[in-house]
Amino acid sequence: MALMSAKEYIDSLRKMNTRIYMFGEKIENWVDHPMIRPSINCVALTYALAQNPEYADLMTATSSLTGHTVNRFAHIHQSKEDLIKKVKMQRLLGQKTGNCFQRCVGMDAFNAIYSSTFEIDEKYGTSYFERFKSFLTFIQDNDLVVDGAMTDPKGDRSKAPHAQSDPDMYVHVVERRENGIVVRGAKCHQTGSVNSHWHLFMPTISMGTDDKDYAVSFACPTDTEGLYMIYGRQSCDTRKNEIGEDGCTGIDCGNTKFGGQEALVVLDDVFIPNEYIFLNGETEFAGMIVERFAGYHRQSYGGCKVGVGDTIIGAAALAAEYNGVEKASAVKDKLIEMTHLNETLYSCGIACSCEGVPTKAGNYQIDMLLANVCKQNVTRFPYEIVRLAEDIAGGLMVTMPSEKDFKSATVVGKNGETIGDVCSKYFKARADVSAEDRQKVLRYLENICLGAAAVGYRTESMHGAGSPQAQRIMIGRQGDIEGKKKIAKALAGIG
Ligand code: SF4
Ligand code: FE
């Protein structure tokens, strides 16, 4: 099958029996729900750009499994160049959406499971690798979106999965049958889960021999029997219900077309046939899958967050221009600092790709140390970038009246002025820039700094792909302090 168009992708979601709950109720027509649709628009763009010749080189690749052209989000990286193109594609999509476009979690899971299943088979003589290749061929051929699902609720963090007082705190096998397994549990903060056709589940931590039932990786359709999702709230999310004249969300939303999405995914005794099981009790490989997935996703942030950062820098520069202060040296210097921070993140994303290495299975893996350094910087620099953006934007970003006020015909002034007239008069800065344009750019920044998109730019920068301490553990492991001690000794003439 050829690559799907954006419309075909959206239509394909309508055909699914996805079970989704929001505000305590089941959502029936979730595809057109104003709070969900912006996130679907983001994923749809991964389809639209793949069909645009201008972006084909970044957005598509030749499948190593079939030789067909596939969306890069379903590709197994064959070279360092593929790793670099992945980061560039993510920056491009960040620029075009200003949000998390969700499809990377599947891509990162594919690449982690591809190499890990090869090595599990090597040790145990299992046939996970061939199974996984068949599954991925199906995904590539049908151009599907897959949620790479890792994060369990984790319960008491001081206890291993098997030692939890509630056994469902980690996804686990509750029944083994000849033709498959039954699984129970949940995955938290699942990016794009509702918008995915399939889910690919992975363990979330390294495991010991007592955790056999928890060391499990498998795939299932999003609308499979027993799977449902509870939609995550975002700051200011109900602003998306305010629809503007053009049918898109209103100005107060900040980003009228695109949004991100997270949800709690519940597995309420779901049957998984053998052909979709990729790890089943080989506990020592749980950690390998976690590290590889996290490594790829930490690389990803050196692309997607940088693209969103580009939009923040652009919006801050516009806000300054609209205020007539764009020539002030302090403003210029802040924009330089924002650019410096943003490009440093990009440098890390590119660097860990350039230093990529082939795995035993043949696909390419990023340099783990540099990918972890990349993500560690992402836990910090976006916060400084939004601080500088807020500095440039000024307080109006959070004190401005609503779009409805700007458009209100209610008379309030002695000379017949409407609320709209008053807002447009007092919130105009430069004579040649409309109050509405100023309103739009400030709302855009508010959305990313504090609103719904702050989920993807701020808190996700902190905790997505692992919280800061997780990277520090990996940096500690990969930093080769012993090797560095030797270098120092040699130069200092010690020993
Ligand atoms: Fe992709 Fe970034 Fe969203 Fe992760 S956070 S899914 S890398 S856009
Ligand atoms: Fe993420």
Side-chain angles (χ1 to χ4, degrees):
M1 203 180 122
L3 297 173
M4 267 200 268
S5 68
K7 184 178 178 304
E8 284 166 336
Y9 161 65
I10 293 171
D11 288 345
S12 72
L13 296 179
R14 291 186 199 286
K15 291 182 196 134
M16 297 180 68
N17 287 316
T18 307
R19 256 171 88 195
I20 148 161
Y21 299 86
M22 187 197 285
F23 296 127
E25 284 171 12
K26 184 158 190 271
I27 307 292
E28 296 301 341
N29 180 12
W30 58 273
V31 175
D32 296 313
H33 193 290
M35 284 174 58
I36 302 176
R37 189 51 181 265
S39 69
I40 297 175
N41 291 341
C42 268
V43 183
L45 199 68
T46 69
Y47 286 91
L49 293 189
Q51 297 203 327
N52 182 335
E54 192 184 340
Y55 303 116
D57 183 48
L58 286 186
M59 296 299 305
T60 62
T62 303
S63 168
S64 55
L65 302 174
T66 63
H68 301 155
T69 299
V70 294
N71 193 297
R72 188 172 295 282
F73 282 99
H75 184 51
I76 295 294
H77 314 304
Q78 297 301 303
S79 60
K80 294 180 189 186
E81 200 191 359
D82 269 349
L83 291 170
I84 294 167
K85 282 186 181 172
K86 172 196 162 185
V87 172
K88 292 188 173 181
M89 168 181 77
Q90 289 167 315
R91 184 170 188 169
L92 172 74
L93 276 153
Q95 288 172 345
K96 291 206 174 283
T97 62
N99 269 285
C100 163
F101 34 89
Q102 308 144 54
R103 206 172 167 183
C104 331
V105 279
M107 165 177 57
D108 292 341
F110 298 150
N111 278 277
I113 302 223
Y114 185 87
S115 60
S116 300
T117 49
F118 183 91
E119 290 177 46
I120 304 168
D121 288 357
E122 197 182 51
K123 175 155 185 198
Y124 286 105
T126 40
S127 51
Y128 296 132
F129 186 58
E130 285 308 316
R131 272 185 198 173
F132 185 69
K133 283 200 293 185
S134 306
F135 166 68
L136 190 59
T137 302
F138 161 77
I139 295 297
Q140 288 184 345
D141 283 351
N142 292 280
D143 199 11
L144 301 178
V145 177
V146 177
D147 172 18
M150 179 163 278
T151 313
D152 292 87
K154 299 199 287 273
D156 181 341
R157 272 62 172 170
S158 70
K159 295 193 166 95
H162 73 275
Q164 297 286 329
S165 52
D166 181 341
D168 300 339
M169 289 301 101
Y170 290 81
V171 168
H172 60 124
V173 179
V174 289
E175 191 189 331
R176 292 178 194 281
R177 299 179 191 162
E178 204 165 310
N179 57 343
I181 53 175
V182 177
V183 290
R184 187 185 301 161
K187 294 286 184 184
C188 300
H189 6 263
Q190 285 311 297
T191 295
S193 54
V194 174
N195 301 337
S196 301
H197 301 101
W198 277 68
H199 276 61
L200 177 52
F201 291 87
M202 297 163 280
T204 199
I205 51 167
S206 299
M207 292 183 184
T209 46
D210 290 337
D211 295 320
K212 247 183 164 34
D213 287 340
Y214 296 85
V216 64
S217 173
F218 55 90
C220 64
T222 301
D223 59 355
T224 201
E225 173 77 30
L227 191 154
Y228 59 86
M229 286 156 287
I230 304 174
Y231 209 76
R233 277 221 84 164
Q234 295 175 333
S235 173
C236 309
D237 53 6
T238 46
R239 286 196 195 182
K240 290 177 187 164
N241 292 328
E242 298 164 16
I243 304 299
E245 288 145 11
D246 57 357
C248 293
T249 49
I251 292 174
D252 288 351
C253 204
N255 185 331
T256 57
K257 200 163 175 209
F258 298 108
Q261 169 191 103
E262 268 81 26
L264 174 74
V265 179
V266 181
L267 294 160
D268 189 11
D269 290 358
V270 174
F271 175 70
I272 309 293
N274 284 333
E275 63 182 304
Y276 299 123
I277 300 172
F278 313 118
L279 175 80
N280 189 4
E282 296 83 2
T283 46
E284 73 273 35
F285 285 95
M288 176 187 282
I289 293 175
V290 175
E291 272 181 22
R292 291 184 180 180
F293 172 76
Y296 283 120
H297 211 54
R298 289 169 193 172
Q299 168 209 25
S300 288
Y301 280 31
C304 75
K305 302 300 178 228
V306 179
V308 178
D310 289 328
T311 74
I312 298 173
I313 297 167
L318 276 176
E321 206 175 294
Y322 293 173
N323 280 342
V325 296
E326 75 275 19
K327 294 205 174 75
S329 61
V331 167
K332 281 189 194 159
D333 193 55
K334 280 166 195 160
L335 292 171
I336 290 168
E337 178 63 9
M338 292 164 83
T339 305
H340 159 69
L341 292 168
N342 205 40
E343 297 301 335
T344 303
L345 298 180
Y346 186 56
S347 307
C348 292
I350 293 295
C352 69
S353 308
C354 290
E355 292 286 296
V357 285
T359 66
K360 283 186 178 178
N363 63 329
Y364 267 67
Q365 187 169 287
I366 58 294
D367 179 281
M368 281 292 182
L369 175 60
L370 296 184
N372 278 279
V373 168
C374 176
K375 174 66 213 318
Q376 181 76 185
N377 284 335
V378 171
T379 66
R380 300 172 182 174
F381 296 178
Y383 286 83
E384 181 62 6
I385 290 172
V386 292
R387 191 187 73 78
L388 290 165
E390 285 190 37
D391 181 350
I392 293 173
L396 190 59
M397 184 183 98
V398 292
T399 63
M400 192 168 40
S402 70
E403 179 183 2
K404 272 193 180 154
D405 289 307
F406 276 86
K407 295 198 168 139
S408 170
T410 302
V411 175
V412 284
K414 291 199 180 94
N415 296 316
E417 300 94 339
T418 64
I419 295 176
D421 294 335
V422 175
C423 287
S424 298
K425 175 182 164 83
Y426 288 111
F427 294 118
K428 193 174 167 75
R430 252 171 57 174
D432 59 343
V433 177
S434 69
E436 184 172 299
D437 282 352
R438 194 163 173 236
Q439 189 191 353
K440 283 179 177 169
V441 83
L442 292 178
R443 287 294 181 211
Y444 182 79
L445 284 170
E446 182 199 28
N447 179 44
I448 285 201
C449 297
L450 306 161
V455 176
Y457 190 65
R458 286 178 54 136
T459 314
E460 193 176 39
S461 287
M462 180 67 80
H463 294 295
S467 305
Q469 200 56 31
Q471 291 110 56
R472 299 187 79 78
I473 291 167
M474 286 298 289
I475 292 169
R477 263 191 229 154
Q478 310 260 333
D480 188 22
I481 300 295
E482 287 309 312
K484 287 173 179 135
K485 275 179 9 193
K486 276 191 200 136
I487 303 170
K489 271 186 176 174
L491 287 175
I494 300 171

